[in-house]
Amino acid sequence: DGVTTITYVKADSSTQTTAVLTLASSIDYPLEALLETLTIGTLTLTPTFDGDAFTYTASTTGASAIVTAVATDPDASIVIRNGSTVVANGAAATWTVGANVVTITVTNGEADNVYTVTVTKTLSDTLASLTLGELTLSPTFGSATTSYTAATTDVSNVITAVATDPAATIAILHGETPVANGAAITWEAGANTVTVAVTNGTTKTYTLTVTKS
């Protein structure tokens, strides 16, 4: 019951003395309602995550990202919402164009804290990849680079373009002739101009000059 009896003898006396010492059986520490880690897919949080900071921003062109939150105390509960929609911890939040407000509420007994991440989605009019059969593009393909050259002795090569945002549309022209994505382009001797237009709100055009010898 938290009561301990101690019997001792004074150094200058043969008389035993009994003292009653009351010890606390437990110490009540304040419960902690903080996060140890917080990730939203591969998005970069600004500022860098710190469990004692509660407001962040991030940007994306993706359709969704997995939200994972880990509390410092395993007994704490975590509720994640994307706007008013509850998102399971470790599940994907789906973004709409513009600002998406994600809240992570950590509760531990009477303690609670709310972390807020504003994820801004913008439309992407870029390509994630672009190939022309086995031809080597120069320079090496990169989403931000829009002009390329290639050389071939082949009669034709299959062109495949993949948009960064699946919602984007892709239109391919060989000169003035439309070409289906994933179809073969038949080359003429000399320089062939191929354009790949990616539209998603705005339009970005990639140009390939393929020289057939």
Side-chain angles (χ1 to χ4, degrees):
D1 294 329
V3 177
T4 301
T5 301
I6 300 175
T7 301
Y8 64 94
V9 178
K10 292 182 179 179
D12 59 350
S13 171
S14 60
T15 304
Q16 288 187 341
T17 301
T18 299
V20 178
L21 180 64
T22 302
L23 301 176
S25 58
S26 63
I27 300 175
D28 292 329
Y29 293 98
L31 296 176
E32 192 170 70
L34 296 174
L35 289 180
E36 181 176 342
T37 61
L38 173 61
T39 58
I40 301 182
T42 58
L43 302 188
T44 299
L45 299 184
T46 302
T48 301
F49 179 75
D50 181 328
D52 292 322
F54 301 98
T55 304
Y56 300 88
T57 60
S59 59
T60 185
T61 57
S64 63
I66 292 174
V67 183
T68 305
V70 178
T72 55
D73 186 341
D75 292 330
S77 66
I78 297 174
V79 176
I80 301 171
R81 286 184 172 85
N82 180 17
S84 60
T85 303
V86 175
V87 179
N89 199 349
T94 300
W95 313 125
T96 57
V97 176
N100 299 260
V101 179
V102 178
T103 57
I104 302 95
T105 303
V106 186
T107 303
N108 201 3
E110 295 182 357
D112 63 76
N113 283 301
V114 179
Y115 295 80
T116 302
V117 184
T118 302
V119 179
T120 301
K121 179 185 176 178
T122 55
L123 295 175
S124 173
D125 59 3
T126 62
L127 289 178
S129 65
L130 177 62
T131 59
L132 266 174
E134 299 299 322
L135 301 188
T136 299
L137 299 184
S138 179
T140 301
F141 177 77
S143 293
T145 303
T146 56
S147 295
Y148 300 89
T149 61
T152 185
T153 57
D154 298 334
V155 173
S156 63
N157 295 100
V158 172
I159 185 167
T160 304
V162 178
T164 302
D165 186 341
T169 60
I170 297 174
I172 302 172
L173 294 176
H174 175 210
E176 300 296 325
T177 304
V179 179
N181 198 353
I185 298 176
T186 300
W187 309 119
E188 299 173 358
N192 296 257
T193 300
V194 178
T195 57
V196 182
V198 185
T199 302
N200 196 11
T202 56
T203 299
K204 184 185 295 294
T205 301
Y206 295 78
T207 302
L208 303 90
T209 302
V210 180
T211 302
K212 181 186 177 182
S213 58

